[in-house]
Structure formats: C-alpha cells, structure tokens
C-alpha cells in the first residue's frame, strides 16, 4: 500500500505555512508535530513520547529547528539539517533521573501533492547528560508519517 502511495503521488517542496501532526517510531516513539513557516525553508519539529536509545526515557520531549533543501531537481526529495534539544525522565530501580541534551537532526522527507502527507526518516546524532552525572552519546533514529493541516 505504501509503495503504491509513493508511486502514485508526486513530491513537492516544503509548505510555506501550516502544521503537520502524526507519529514517529524510534527515539522517541510517540507524537510528532511540525510547524511550517518559521522562516524561509525552515520549520520547528517537536517529538513527544517514550523510549529512546541515547536517553532511554519513560517520557521525553525534543524540539528542533530544521532547515530544508531540495536535494536534486530531477527527484524533488527534501533533505534537512537542524539543531535541537531534548529532555526526559526515566524511572529506575534507584529512583527517577532526568536526562537532557542536544541533537543535530539530519533527515530526508517526502511531501506528497495529491495527499497531504509528510513521510520522513532521520538520524540525529545526540549527546545527553543525566542528573546523576552520566554522559551518553550516539546516533538516534526516527521514521514517521504526519498529516499536513493547512
């Protein structure tokens, strides 16, 4: 079904304004929001959910400012690079601890013209710090699908 959707829909550039809402699976797994029109070819992305690899939190929130670019003229696939921050709470055997840090989202995005969908995949490097002094670093991962509201 997804391959049929990909084959039948033309891709376009980034929306100039609006909001996208959907899901992300990865780090974290949960709700994904994107606020278009922050600036020219840029958007604010917010993920709220649980799980995680660098900061395995029971609840985490991340926000990133993304800058988009059309990768080639022949295949209008948007690439993006951004800068962001995350914070989370994880429960352990020895009590709760908070984790916070920075991330650099790097991703690809398909925006369809015939259906208002935004399909994305990203691999942001991240560095996190916990309240008990641990430092965690690594690559995180996310794949998601959002519905674009105008």
């Amino acid at each position: 079904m997804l391959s049929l959707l990909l084959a039948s829909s033309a891709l376009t550039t980034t929306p100039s304004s609006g909001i996208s809402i959907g899901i992300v699976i990865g780090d974290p797994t949960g709700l994904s929001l994107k606020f278009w029109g922050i600036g020219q070819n840029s958007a604010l992305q917010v993920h709220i959910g649980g799980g995680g690899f660098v900061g395995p939190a029971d609840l985490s929130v991340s926000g990133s400012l993304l800058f988009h670019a059309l990768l080639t003229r022949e295949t209008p696939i948007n690439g993006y690079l951004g800068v962001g921050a995350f914070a989370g709470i994880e429960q352990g055997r020895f009590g709760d601890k908070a984790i916070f840090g920075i991330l650099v989202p790097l991703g690809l995005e398909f925006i369809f013209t015939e259906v208002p969908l935004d399909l994305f995949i990203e691999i942001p490097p991240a560095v996190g710090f916990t309240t008990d002094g641990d430092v965690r670093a690594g690559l995180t991962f996310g794949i998601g699908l959002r519905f674009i509201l105008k």
Side-chain angles (χ1 to χ4, degrees):
M1 169 102 173
L2 184 59
S3 62
L4 178 64
L5 182 66
L6 288 171
S8 67
S9 296
L11 298 169
T12 185
T13 59
T14 61
S16 59
S17 65
I19 298 172
S20 297
I21 184 168
I23 61 167
V24 61
I25 297 170
D27 195 356
T29 295
L31 178 68
S32 177
L33 299 167
K34 193 163 191 177
F35 302 93
W36 299 96
I38 302 300
Q40 185 175 359
N41 294 325
S42 61
L44 177 65
Q45 176 175 273
V46 176
H47 295 316
I48 304 166
F53 307 111
V54 174
D58 295 311
L59 174 65
S60 68
V61 176
S62 68
S64 302
L65 180 59
L66 305 178
F67 302 96
H68 299 80
L70 200 59
L71 294 182
T72 67
R73 293 178 197 258
E74 294 79 26
T75 58
I77 299 170
N78 294 309
Y80 61 84
L81 177 65
V83 62
F86 66 91
I89 302 290
E90 67 179 37
Q91 297 175 342
R93 287 190 285 165
F94 305 108
D96 297 348
K97 62 181 165 181
I99 184 166
F100 59 93
I102 58 172
L103 51 97
V104 181
L106 176 64
L108 296 174
E109 183 168 48
F110 303 87
I111 300 172
F112 302 97
T113 57
E114 295 186 23
V115 290
L117 291 177
D118 163 12
L119 175 67
F120 67 95
I121 185 169
E122 63 183 24
I123 302 175
V127 176
F129 307 91
T130 65
T131 51
D132 62 359
D134 290 342
V135 177
R136 300 178 184 162
L139 287 175
T140 62
F141 173 80
I143 185 168
L145 184 66
R146 294 181 285 233
F147 183 75
I148 301 171
L149 306 171
K150 296 286 178 177

